[in-house]
Each structure stands twice: as structure tokens, then as C-alpha cells.
Amino acid sequence: AQSVTQLDSQVPVFEEAPVELRCNYSSSVSVYLFWYVQYPNQGLQLLLKYLSGSTLVKGINGFEAEFNKSQTSFHLRKPSVHISDTAEYFCAVSLGGSNYKLTFGKGTLLTVNP
Amino acid sequence: DTAVSQTPKYLVTQMGNDKSIKCEQNLGHDTMYWYKQDSKKFLKIMFSYNNKELIINETVPNRFSPKSPDKAHLNLHINSLELGDSAVYFCASSASGGLVSGANVLTFGAGSRLTVL
């Protein structure tokens, strides 16, 4: 079975600083990886996804993530954050194919301070 | 138009009551899901339906019964509500047929916050 570990439950940063949110996964087979964002009192929105191909994937709002198979990681990065990036970020993994199950990490609360 | 809509957005009820949450998607997706988000923000899948057929049924009490009248709707009925059922319930949908068509990329509703007193 697949699992996801988000190493930081909270990440406070100052506006315009770079940020990295860490995600490690565990699976015995190939996986597909996702980052979702949840703004306060809202549903989840897809930021980016890795399905195959280039290991560096770019998403919305200036975020990007790099798939590292040897380290089983899929860390999310942004070179310069804004106040509006304050939200809960979830890493998720799926086995793909006919397996429709998306397994989420416990989330990382990113707080951007002025 | 809202892609995945859930009703009601808020639900406050007493222990022992029965309640339902409705979900509709207008994306033409044929797979729908219910996720539960607890007070610590942890998201866990409960059920998934593909073309009205149940394909994922996690370890969920029998008090929870999903119903999919058609592939655009997935409702969740909860009997004999307990304090521990208090959570935000998210409906989601996705296309099937392989990754090219966007399988496993979920579109979420805004959530239904259930509070059991």
C-alpha cells in the first residue's frame, strides 16, 4: 500500500522569501504524485501533478515540484511567496491505472507573514 | 457554474439523528468520491463510485451509506450520528480511462461541515 509523509506540519515564512514543503512517499510500485492546496474554509485545488516524463513539474501560482525516485520525494517549492499563499498544502499519491484511490499526507500549513 | 457542488455547506445536528449530504458534478466525470477531513485536517477516502458502481469502500461504519443514482450524483447518508462523525466531508470527481484523460486528478467540492452535538 502507498503512503505519504509530509515532514513539516507548519512552515512560517516571510513574504517574498523562498519556501520548500517536503513530501516523501512509500510504494513498492510506480506512483503518481500530486500537490493540492486548501485555502481557509475552501475545498482542495490541484497545484500540480507528476504522472511521467520530466521530473520537474510546474504548477499554478508559481509553484513547482521535483520528483526524485531515488529519494522517494516530491518536494514543493516556490522562489518567492506572497501573503495569499497562506494555506494548507497536501501531498498525495496514487497508484494510477484502475486504482482510483488517492492517499493524502497530513498536510503542511504554510503561513506567510508580512 | 460550480463544477462539484455539495449541499448543505453546514449541518448541525444532535447525536442519534440521521442526515444526508448531496453532491453533484457537471464535469462529465464518471468517478466520484467521498473524503472525510477530521479536526486535524487529515483527509481520508471513504467511498468511490465509478459509473454508479461502488469501487472503493474503506473501513467505514455501516451507518454510512453512499448512493449514486447516476454518475453525476453521489449522496452520503449517515444514520445514528455520533460525536466522532463531526468533520468536513468533501465530495470529489475525476475522469477515468487512463491518465491522458485525467484519471486520478480530483476536482473537489467546497465541503460540508457536519457538527454533531
Side-chain angles (χ1 to χ4, degrees), chain B residues 3 7-8 10 30 36 56 58-59 66 74-75 111 114 116:
Chain B
T7 54
Y10 299 98
D30 49 14
K36 179 181 180 181
I56 294 176
E58 293 291 289
T59 308
L74 180 61
N75 304 323
L114 171 64
V116 182

PDB file of all heavy atoms in Angstrom, chain B residues 3 7-8 10 30 36 56 58-59 66 74-75 111 114 116:
ATOM      1  N   ALA B   3     -18.371  23.366 -10.440  1.00  0.00           N
ATOM      2  CA  ALA B   3     -18.083  22.084 -11.047  1.00  0.00           C
ATOM      3  C   ALA B   3     -18.567  20.931 -10.162  1.00  0.00           C
ATOM      4  O   ALA B   3     -19.214  20.008 -10.635  1.00  0.00           O
ATOM      5  CB  ALA B   3     -16.594  21.971 -11.318  1.00  0.00           C
ATOM      6  N   THR B   7     -24.307  20.027  -0.925  1.00  0.00           N
ATOM      7  CA  THR B   7     -25.289  20.663  -0.048  1.00  0.00           C
ATOM      8  C   THR B   7     -25.671  19.700   1.066  1.00  0.00           C
ATOM      9  O   THR B   7     -25.804  18.491   0.844  1.00  0.00           O
ATOM     10  CB  THR B   7     -26.566  21.049  -0.824  1.00  0.00           C
ATOM     11  OG1 THR B   7     -27.065  19.889  -1.499  1.00  0.00           O
ATOM     12  CG2 THR B   7     -26.303  22.156  -1.818  1.00  0.00           C
ATOM     13  N   PRO B   8     -25.822  20.212   2.289  1.00  0.00           N
ATOM     14  CA  PRO B   8     -25.623  21.606   2.677  1.00  0.00           C
ATOM     15  C   PRO B   8     -24.155  21.912   2.953  1.00  0.00           C
ATOM     16  O   PRO B   8     -23.348  21.003   3.083  1.00  0.00           O
ATOM     17  CB  PRO B   8     -26.437  21.691   3.971  1.00  0.00           C
ATOM     18  CG  PRO B   8     -26.315  20.326   4.564  1.00  0.00           C
ATOM     19  CD  PRO B   8     -26.304  19.368   3.403  1.00  0.00           C
ATOM     20  N   TYR B  10     -23.197  23.637   5.678  1.00  0.00           N
ATOM     21  CA  TYR B  10     -23.081  23.460   7.124  1.00  0.00           C
ATOM     22  C   TYR B  10     -24.258  22.630   7.613  1.00  0.00           C
ATOM     23  O   TYR B  10     -25.384  22.793   7.134  1.00  0.00           O
ATOM     24  CB  TYR B  10     -23.069  24.803   7.861  1.00  0.00           C
ATOM     25  CG  TYR B  10     -21.918  25.697   7.486  1.00  0.00           C
ATOM     26  CD1 TYR B  10     -22.083  26.717   6.551  1.00  0.00           C
ATOM     27  CD2 TYR B  10     -20.671  25.531   8.068  1.00  0.00           C
ATOM     28  CE1 TYR B  10     -21.026  27.540   6.192  1.00  0.00           C
ATOM     29  CE2 TYR B  10     -19.606  26.345   7.720  1.00  0.00           C
ATOM     30  CZ  TYR B  10     -19.791  27.341   6.791  1.00  0.00           C
ATOM     31  OH  TYR B  10     -18.737  28.152   6.434  1.00  0.00           O
ATOM     32  N   ASP B  30     -16.952  10.329 -14.573  1.00  0.00           N
ATOM     33  CA  ASP B  30     -17.714   9.133 -14.229  1.00  0.00           C
ATOM     34  C   ASP B  30     -17.254   8.479 -12.941  1.00  0.00           C
ATOM     35  O   ASP B  30     -17.716   7.391 -12.593  1.00  0.00           O
ATOM     36  CB  ASP B  30     -17.689   8.114 -15.380  1.00  0.00           C
ATOM     37  CG  ASP B  30     -16.281   7.876 -15.891  1.00  0.00           C
ATOM     38  OD1 ASP B  30     -15.317   8.274 -15.204  1.00  0.00           O
ATOM     39  OD2 ASP B  30     -16.142   7.314 -16.981  1.00  0.00           O
ATOM     40  N   LYS B  36     -13.327  12.285   4.071  1.00  0.00           N
ATOM     41  CA  LYS B  36     -13.598  12.881   5.374  1.00  0.00           C
ATOM     42  C   LYS B  36     -12.344  13.608   5.850  1.00  0.00           C
ATOM     43  O   LYS B  36     -11.235  13.047   5.816  1.00  0.00           O
ATOM     44  CB  LYS B  36     -13.979  11.794   6.386  1.00  0.00           C
ATOM     45  CG  LYS B  36     -14.250  12.313   7.784  1.00  0.00           C
ATOM     46  CD  LYS B  36     -14.604  11.170   8.732  1.00  0.00           C
ATOM     47  CE  LYS B  36     -14.889  11.669  10.139  1.00  0.00           C
ATOM     48  NZ  LYS B  36     -15.220  10.549  11.075  1.00  0.00           N
ATOM     49  N   ILE B  56     -14.539   1.653  -4.279  1.00  0.00           N
ATOM     50  CA  ILE B  56     -13.713   1.779  -3.073  1.00  0.00           C
ATOM     51  C   ILE B  56     -14.651   1.910  -1.883  1.00  0.00           C
ATOM     52  O   ILE B  56     -15.562   2.721  -1.886  1.00  0.00           O
ATOM     53  CB  ILE B  56     -12.780   3.004  -3.127  1.00  0.00           C
ATOM     54  CG1 ILE B  56     -11.742   2.849  -4.229  1.00  0.00           C
ATOM     55  CG2 ILE B  56     -12.083   3.200  -1.778  1.00  0.00           C
ATOM     56  CD1 ILE B  56     -10.853   4.073  -4.399  1.00  0.00           C
ATOM     57  N   GLU B  58     -13.705   1.996   2.019  1.00  0.00           N
ATOM     58  CA  GLU B  58     -12.745   1.872   3.088  1.00  0.00           C
ATOM     59  C   GLU B  58     -13.444   1.422   4.373  1.00  0.00           C
ATOM     60  O   GLU B  58     -14.651   1.238   4.394  1.00  0.00           O
ATOM     61  CB  GLU B  58     -12.030   3.204   3.317  1.00  0.00           C
ATOM     62  CG  GLU B  58     -11.135   3.602   2.164  1.00  0.00           C
ATOM     63  CD  GLU B  58      -9.924   2.713   2.014  1.00  0.00           C
ATOM     64  OE1 GLU B  58      -9.011   2.780   2.862  1.00  0.00           O
ATOM     65  OE2 GLU B  58      -9.874   1.935   1.033  1.00  0.00           O
ATOM     66  N   THR B  59     -12.671   1.265   5.410  1.00  0.00           N
ATOM     67  CA  THR B  59     -13.246   0.798   6.671  1.00  0.00           C
ATOM     68  C   THR B  59     -14.087   1.911   7.272  1.00  0.00           C
ATOM     69  O   THR B  59     -13.593   2.767   7.993  1.00  0.00           O
ATOM     70  CB  THR B  59     -12.113   0.405   7.648  1.00  0.00           C
ATOM     71  OG1 THR B  59     -11.229  -0.493   7.006  1.00  0.00           O
ATOM     72  CG2 THR B  59     -12.711  -0.249   8.885  1.00  0.00           C
ATOM     73  N   PRO B  66     -23.427   5.369   1.056  1.00  0.00           N
ATOM     74  CA  PRO B  66     -23.426   6.200  -0.140  1.00  0.00           C
ATOM     75  C   PRO B  66     -24.454   5.694  -1.135  1.00  0.00           C
ATOM     76  O   PRO B  66     -24.790   4.503  -1.152  1.00  0.00           O
ATOM     77  CB  PRO B  66     -22.011   6.000  -0.682  1.00  0.00           C
ATOM     78  CG  PRO B  66     -21.656   4.613  -0.257  1.00  0.00           C
ATOM     79  CD  PRO B  66     -22.367   4.352   1.049  1.00  0.00           C
ATOM     80  N   LEU B  74     -23.574  11.762  -6.213  1.00  0.00           N
ATOM     81  CA  LEU B  74     -23.169  10.809  -5.178  1.00  0.00           C
ATOM     82  C   LEU B  74     -23.569  11.403  -3.836  1.00  0.00           C
ATOM     83  O   LEU B  74     -23.038  12.428  -3.426  1.00  0.00           O
ATOM     84  CB  LEU B  74     -21.662  10.547  -5.205  1.00  0.00           C
ATOM     85  CG  LEU B  74     -21.153   9.565  -4.144  1.00  0.00           C
ATOM     86  CD1 LEU B  74     -21.800   8.193  -4.312  1.00  0.00           C
ATOM     87  CD2 LEU B  74     -19.636   9.448  -4.189  1.00  0.00           C
ATOM     88  N   ASN B  75     -24.542  10.773  -3.205  1.00  0.00           N
ATOM     89  CA  ASN B  75     -25.044  11.258  -1.936  1.00  0.00           C
ATOM     90  C   ASN B  75     -24.500  10.397  -0.805  1.00  0.00           C
ATOM     91  O   ASN B  75     -24.133   9.235  -0.998  1.00  0.00           O
ATOM     92  CB  ASN B  75     -26.572  11.239  -1.938  1.00  0.00           C
ATOM     93  CG  ASN B  75     -27.138  12.048  -3.093  1.00  0.00           C
ATOM     94  OD1 ASN B  75     -26.595  13.099  -3.456  1.00  0.00           O
ATOM     95  ND2 ASN B  75     -28.209  11.559  -3.692  1.00  0.00           N
ATOM     96  N   GLY B 111     -16.929  21.371   0.335  1.00  0.00           N
ATOM     97  CA  GLY B 111     -17.013  20.709   1.631  1.00  0.00           C
ATOM     98  C   GLY B 111     -18.328  20.953   2.352  1.00  0.00           C
ATOM     99  O   GLY B 111     -19.001  21.963   2.137  1.00  0.00           O
ATOM    100  N   LEU B 114     -20.013  19.074   9.081  1.00  0.00           N
ATOM    101  CA  LEU B 114     -21.013  18.420   9.933  1.00  0.00           C
ATOM    102  C   LEU B 114     -20.592  18.545  11.382  1.00  0.00           C
ATOM    103  O   LEU B 114     -19.479  18.171  11.754  1.00  0.00           O
ATOM    104  CB  LEU B 114     -21.139  16.936   9.550  1.00  0.00           C
ATOM    105  CG  LEU B 114     -21.987  16.060  10.468  1.00  0.00           C
ATOM    106  CD1 LEU B 114     -23.445  16.497  10.459  1.00  0.00           C
ATOM    107  CD2 LEU B 114     -21.878  14.588  10.071  1.00  0.00           C
ATOM    108  N   VAL B 116     -21.885  17.421  15.149  1.00  0.00           N
ATOM    109  CA  VAL B 116     -22.818  16.592  15.919  1.00  0.00           C
ATOM    110  C   VAL B 116     -22.719  16.994  17.390  1.00  0.00           C
ATOM    111  O   VAL B 116     -21.628  16.958  17.979  1.00  0.00           O
ATOM    112  CB  VAL B 116     -22.503  15.102  15.743  1.00  0.00           C
ATOM    113  CG1 VAL B 116     -23.522  14.261  16.505  1.00  0.00           C
ATOM    114  CG2 VAL B 116     -22.502  14.727  14.270  1.00  0.00           C
TER     115      VAL B 116
END
